[in-house]
Amino acid sequence: MDTVPLWALLLALAFLILCSAFFAMAETALMAANRYRLRHQAKRGSRAAATALWLLERTDKLLSLVLIANTLINAMVTALVTAIAIGLFGREESVITIATAVVAFLLIVFAEISPKVIGATYPEKISLASSFVLKAMMALAKPVIWFVNLFVSLVLKLFRVQTVGAGHDHRLSPEELRSIVLEGGNFIPQKHKSILLNLFDFEAISVEDIMTPRAQIEALNLAVPVEEIKHQLVTCYHNKLLVYEGEINRVLGILHVRKAMALLSEEELTPEHFKALLSPPYFIPQETPVFAQLQYFQEKKERLAVIVDEYGELQGLVTLDDIIEEMIGEFTTTLPGTGRNDRFQWDEKGECLLEGSTPLRDINKFLQLQLPLDGPKTLNGLILEQLQDIPDAAIAIRIANCIIEVVQVQNQSIKVVKLIRS
């Protein structure tokens, strides 16, 4: 105290606290920084982002540098405050105690909590600004860091702790990606967000979930009179028809209606003329994942597949359009008045009339319900599973906070159902 002026000691004390605050703030910012954002900036030529990523790939050395520096600085701050207190107030025991409390307060407030809160609040800005300084200091302190880490690695091996190396997997799981998309806010347009969320569901659903069921297939039966075949071709709504003979499981092929229209002027038209135009049917099992089927369509240059069960019985059809609509939403309607969005609407009473063959996934999606999807795929199947019987009169059941009322039963199946929001 006799040789060094008080102002110089106070200035040194402030400088040391600032250094400690810098290390605490930089460390917190780097650990809180978004690695994917830093990687994006580095690809765009940001040297600061590339340096920050370089530091994050050497977490053990970075933490060693910060802890060594802070430990030395904190020791120096303690010694300096104690020296100032003794020089000003003497060597009383109470003076040393108060000096220790003051040091602890200064370090906690100005070198720990405040800088770390700032670092966590502005992680990208601070990590980019401090990355060059930390890299330079890491190079200067390399011998010390190596010596300290030598003992650290021995301790970790003793406790069988596996350290995070360069090959550490920072990839996100599908559920984490889903959370990022949901929390994207205004950065992702709502339509794009909906498409991305639909893609996450692709691995969990099969073609059975989006197919046109067997009862709703518009197919051409070559066993009927030719005049009926002509009438169906003229009035059909599709450009491709499934063709069978007698029974729908006897699939002959797929007919392009445009090609068949050229035959209608023939005087002596027979089913053989139509058979000559058929393309081979493309059969797939009903458990095929939707995303895998999209790839199969691309590889095989197909647009329509016939879905069969384990016994070879026809269950339905799935087209490339069905899969695309599952991704981006409905963009075309093959039959007049069958737009899905038009059917799925609550009226002013909180009721909605639907066909029994309506898929449960569509109901959950458009009406915001939580009907179980781990069993039957349609509303008819769900009700029959719950009742264990085919109802012969109006009956209502409650499933997943929704009242389901049977309105019409026909041919051993439920045709019309009323959903009531509860």
Side-chain angles (χ1 to χ4, degrees):
M1 289 293 297
D2 296 334
T3 58
V4 182
L6 179 62
W7 65 266
L9 293 175
L10 293 175
L11 187 63
L13 177 63
F15 175 75
L16 290 174
I17 292 177
L18 284 176
C19 289
S20 180
F22 166 78
F23 282 111
M25 182 170 57
E27 176 199 7
T28 304
L30 274 169
M31 295 305 163
N34 188 316
R35 285 174 169 80
Y36 299 96
R37 190 172 298 167
L38 291 176
R39 193 169 290 117
H40 172 70
Q41 293 178 0
K43 288 181 179 179
R44 298 183 63 180
S46 172
R47 292 182 58 193
T51 304
L53 288 173
W54 183 88
L55 291 170
L56 288 173
E57 291 173 357
R58 296 157 178 80
T59 309
D60 54 342
K61 295 181 176 61
L62 174 65
L63 293 178
S64 298
L65 171 67
V66 172
L67 291 175
I68 291 171
N70 271 340
T71 301
L72 293 176
I73 291 173
N74 292 345
M76 293 171 65
V77 168
T78 304
L80 195 57
V81 171
T82 303
I84 294 173
I86 292 175
L88 292 175
F89 305 105
R91 297 179 177 274
E92 298 292 333
E93 184 177 340
S94 59
V95 171
I96 297 176
T97 303
I98 295 174
T100 303
V102 171
V103 169
F105 176 78
L106 292 175
L107 292 177
I108 291 173
V109 174
F110 297 103
E112 291 293 333
I113 297 178
S114 297
K116 287 186 176 181
V117 169
I118 296 173
T121 306
Y122 306 101
E124 276 78 25
K125 292 182 180 179
I126 295 174
S127 60
L128 293 177
S130 61
S131 59
F132 293 112
V133 177
L134 289 175
K135 185 176 181 180
M137 296 191 69
M138 188 180 292
L140 293 174
K142 189 174 182 179
V144 179
I145 295 174
W146 173 84
F147 182 75
V148 172
N149 279 346
L150 181 64
F151 291 93
V152 171
S153 60
L154 291 175
V155 172
L156 294 178
K157 287 181 180 179
L158 180 64
F159 289 98
R160 298 181 179 179
V161 177
Q162 187 175 3
T163 58
V164 178
H168 181 61
D169 192 359
H170 291 291
R171 291 177 297 179
L172 298 177
S173 68
E175 288 305 316
E176 290 171 329
L177 285 172
R178 180 191 292 273
S179 298
I180 291 176
V181 172
L182 288 173
E183 297 170 3
N186 297 327
F187 295 102
I188 305 177
Q190 184 60 40
K191 185 63 178 178
H192 297 174
K193 187 183 297 186
S194 176
I195 293 174
L196 290 172
L197 292 176
N198 288 338
L199 288 175
F200 292 135
D201 293 332
F202 261 36
E203 291 295 335
I205 63 175
S206 65
V207 292
E208 185 182 15
D209 295 309
I210 65 171
M211 70 179 182
T212 301
R214 171 175 174 158
Q216 298 179 12
I217 295 175
E218 186 179 21
L220 188 66
N221 183 8
L222 293 185
V224 301
V226 175
E227 291 302 320
E228 291 187 24
I229 296 176
K230 288 183 177 181
H231 178 72
Q232 184 173 352
L233 288 173
V234 172
T235 58
C236 71
Y237 294 106
H238 298 87
N239 58 5
K240 289 184 179 181
L241 291 179
L242 179 73
V243 178
Y244 65 97
E245 191 170 30
E247 202 272 323
I248 196 168
N249 284 312
R250 296 180 59 188
V251 178
L252 300 179
I254 306 299
L255 176 66
H256 289 257
V257 175
R258 185 178 300 176
K259 295 180 181 179
M261 296 300 289
L263 297 176
L264 298 183
S265 59
E266 296 284 340
E267 295 183 0
E268 296 183 1
L269 191 61
T270 66
E272 300 301 323
H273 289 86
F274 297 105
K275 290 181 181 180
L277 299 177
L278 299 181
S279 57
Y282 172 39
F283 294 99
I284 61 172
Q286 62 185 8
E287 298 85 7
T288 306
V290 170
F291 190 76
Q293 187 55 48
L294 179 62
Q295 294 177 306
Y296 296 154
F297 273 144
Q298 185 179 23
E299 294 170 1
K300 298 180 180 294
K301 310 299 181 184
E302 296 280 355
R303 297 179 65 90
L304 183 148
V306 182
I307 301 173
V308 295
D309 63 12
E310 57 184 315
Y311 303 106
E313 298 286 325
L314 188 145
Q315 299 299 308
L317 293 179
V318 65
T319 66
L320 182 60
D321 289 350
D322 294 329
I323 298 179
I324 294 175
E325 287 189 357
E326 190 66 24
M327 284 193 292
I328 68 175
E330 188 172 5
F331 63 89
T332 182
T333 303
T334 53
L335 295 176
T338 59
R340 290 187 293 179
N341 292 342
D342 298 333
R343 290 183 291 149
F344 297 102
Q345 291 183 355
W346 297 106
D347 61 16
E348 62 277 1
K349 298 180 181 178
E351 299 176 353
C352 180
L353 281 176
L354 293 174
E355 296 180 1
S357 59
T358 305
L360 296 175
R361 290 188 70 255
D362 289 347
I363 296 174
N364 286 346
K365 181 186 297 184
F366 294 107
L367 296 182
Q368 302 300 313
L369 296 178
Q370 300 293 328
L371 299 178
L373 301 176
D374 53 353
K377 304 298 182 181
T378 65
L379 195 53
N380 173 60
L382 177 64
I383 297 173
L384 294 181
E385 181 185 61
Q386 294 291 322
L387 297 177
Q388 297 293 312
D389 192 12
I390 301 175
D392 54 5
I395 189 172
I397 58 175
R398 179 187 293 272
I399 303 176
N401 295 325
C402 178
I403 298 174
I404 303 177
E405 180 182 332
V406 177
V407 177
Q408 182 183 0
V409 179
Q410 183 181 356
N411 297 330
Q412 292 77 50
S413 66
I414 299 170
K415 292 298 183 182
V416 182
V417 174
K418 180 191 292 185
L419 301 183
I420 304 173
R421 229 173 2 190
S422 60

